[in-house]
Amino acid sequence: VSTVEGQLRDLMQVAVGEPPHRVTVAAVRRRVIRRRVVECVSGMAALVLLAGAGVAVAAGTSASHPPAQAVGSGPSSPPPYYVQVVAGPQEDQLAVRSTATGRVTAHIASPWPGAYPNPPMIAAAGNQTFYVVWAKGVQDNGGNIAGSRIYRFQLTAAGKVSGYQLAPGGDLGAQRVGDIAASASGSLLAVAVTPGSWTNADFYRDIEVINTRTGTPALWRNDPTANGTRLDQIQDLVLAQGGSELAFLSTARCTTHAAGCSGGFGQLRVLSSPAAGGEVTSGQIVFRQSELTDQLPRTDQFNLSDALLNPDGSTIDAVVNVTSNGKDNSSVANEISVLEIPVVPAGSTAATRPLVLYRLNTGDGFFDRSFSVDPTGQYLLFNEGPTSGTRNGWIRDGRLVPLAPANGSNYFYEGW
Amino acid sequence: VLVKGESERFSQFVVERERSLQRTGWLLTGDWALAQDLVQTALVRSAPHWDRIRRRDDPEIYVRRVMVNTWLGWRRRKWRGERASAWVPDNPAPGDMAAEATVRVAVRAALGALTGRQAAVVVLRVFDDLTEVQAAAVLGCSVGTVKSTLARSLAKLRESPQLAELLEREVR
């Protein structure tokens, strides 16, 4: 080795330093699976083209959202029941409804005297098992949380509630719970938490992951001093890939330590090994709100209100509110779109091309109230519209299949 | 993805080698995010054939070959992965001292001025310390081509004003 080569090697060593992130086996496996999915979909598309079907596929169809069959008749039909948070005269209540008929099959009372549901706080694992959060306020200050608890129940074939009990590790103490997710088997739960006082409740700061077999919690901290980034409003938690990944949507904020950065945009991040705990900012970013800027047909102001990673990790189901004419886009929208966005690796040459699953030109005053996906990731439950005429239904073939009752004004949150 | 046994061996390879591969990736791309993606892409392409790779080839050489070929493909398409968007940097580099930054900029600029193949030869031979035979295997060329390409590349690097200054400092 010549002197120059030796010197050059030394300079390269200094220049390179240490990689900021690890390449994990889980991440590689995830991409292998995605690649196969893409190859499979591409192959199917090629077959369709070769066959010369020439069938115009209506916007809103999707390979991962199959056409519906009879409700509750088999594995490829939507869940037979769904759980609602219903606005009550005094306090909100929980009810179970039949998907097919809208009939209330069960009322779910608070198992903890004085506690109330605080939506969104329903997580559905597979096999019609649900996890709900009940919270209790401080007596002398109704805004603060004295305690939160997670309870578990299962729905019977008749839509009745059975096995209603405190989930192992479900006593969360004086924390406010923002969102909750369950793995398909129900062995892991994830909750976005923040201290119970209102002063700290403007963003859901940390994520607690609970092993329901042992009751052991693990904390994903949101420490803004860790790398100059703070993640606000952690929401849309999903325990994907059988619980080996935890996805969440958040808004990135700069801290004073991050010179020159600009935050305020939504990011969907994925954490590996959820039960291990760590720093939420260590999650890999799989989607940024800004990626939609060039993709949406209308480039007016838009607000990403939800983004849920599909349980297989290949796509994201997102709700986008588009507003024009300079109107406030935080609560009213001219157009609401539900998009299916493929998860594209950061360095891939493929563009993020969302598929429109459902779109509604609303005019002023419409907004979405509740958006959730069943544990298989196939059936999207959607509640949108103004207080006077909220539409309640699930999405199939580009339209909203109404649930009975179709007016969803009284329902804050729904899950199945 | 892989049969039992191979899956463990693949996992072990990833755990043991990913940092080294990422460093090579950074020298090729000049960007940690792209380096990570390059390594992941190479591993994703290699994973389904791991059993065959392990039996017939040196996995390290094979993965580096996929990395280099993938990166050369990116360069040919003149794609750099940059996208104008307002997003927060994931991890500001800790201890980002001025001296290190100067070296980083100089090395990146000097390697960026080389052709893709020249840069790959320099990184593989000088930084990764591969033998000429191994570098030839990665690049799919003869040993003689590796030698001549390296000689031309080093001559070109010496002409890089920023790098030349740093090399002079090293000598002093």
Side-chain angles (χ1 to χ4, degrees), chain A residues 156-406:
Chain A
T156 66
K160 303 296 181 190
V161 172
S162 73
Y164 192 18
Q165 59 186 336
L166 185 68
D171 190 343
L172 303 175
Q175 296 188 99
R176 182 181 299 277
V177 177
D179 200 0
I180 179 170
S183 61
S185 66
S187 61
L188 284 182
L189 296 177
V191 284
V193 294
T194 201
S197 67
W198 270 116
T199 51
N200 290 318
D202 56 339
F203 64 97
Y204 288 100
R205 199 173 62 188
D206 303 324
I207 302 175
E208 194 166 308
V209 175
I210 300 156
N211 182 330
T212 58
R213 294 200 172 100
T214 62
T216 312
L219 188 65
W220 287 91
R221 294 174 56 80
N222 193 353
D223 180 3
T225 59
N227 60 8
T229 305
R230 188 186 76 190
L231 302 179
D232 278 2
Q233 289 293 345
I234 289 177
Q235 64 178 87
D236 290 350
L237 301 179
V238 173
L239 282 159
Q241 307 273 24
S244 64
E245 292 182 345
L246 171 59
F248 63 94
L249 177 68
S250 64
T251 304
R253 304 281 182 201
C254 301
T255 69
T256 53
H257 305 290
C261 80
S262 56
F265 290 87
Q267 300 177 342
L268 189 77
R269 291 185 180 238
V270 172
L271 297 162
S272 300
S273 304
E279 292 286 340
V280 290
T281 50
S282 68
Q284 189 178 358
I285 301 173
V286 297
F287 172 70
R288 293 186 178 90
Q289 181 178 340
S290 55
E291 291 174 39
L292 285 177
T293 307
D294 299 330
Q295 301 295 330
L296 287 173
R298 295 174 62 182
T299 53
D300 303 309
Q301 294 181 53
F302 73 94
N303 165 257
L304 179 69
S305 59
D306 282 292
L308 291 160
L309 186 71
N310 203 273
D312 69 4
S314 62
T315 57
I316 298 161
D317 294 311
V319 180
V320 175
N321 301 326
V322 182
T323 313
S324 60
N325 303 324
K327 292 189 174 65
D328 173 19
N329 68 345
S330 61
S331 59
V332 294
N334 285 332
E335 185 178 284
I336 297 173
S337 295
V338 179
L339 309 174
E340 183 183 81
I341 303 165
V343 176
V344 178
S348 167
T349 53
T352 304
R353 299 195 184 284
L355 181 68
V356 178
L357 300 178
Y358 172 68
R359 176 176 290 158
L360 179 69
N361 291 317
T362 62
D364 290 344
F366 280 71
F367 60 94
D368 65 289
R369 300 162 65 88
S370 168
F371 179 63
S372 62
V373 184
D374 79 307
T376 69
Q378 297 180 83
Y379 301 103
L380 311 178
L381 199 52
F382 195 40
N383 188 331
E384 42 103 37
T387 308
S388 57
T390 305
R391 300 181 186 194
N392 184 36
W394 60 283
I395 295 168
R396 183 189 67 183
D397 295 346
R399 68 188 187 91
L400 196 69
V401 179
L403 287 165

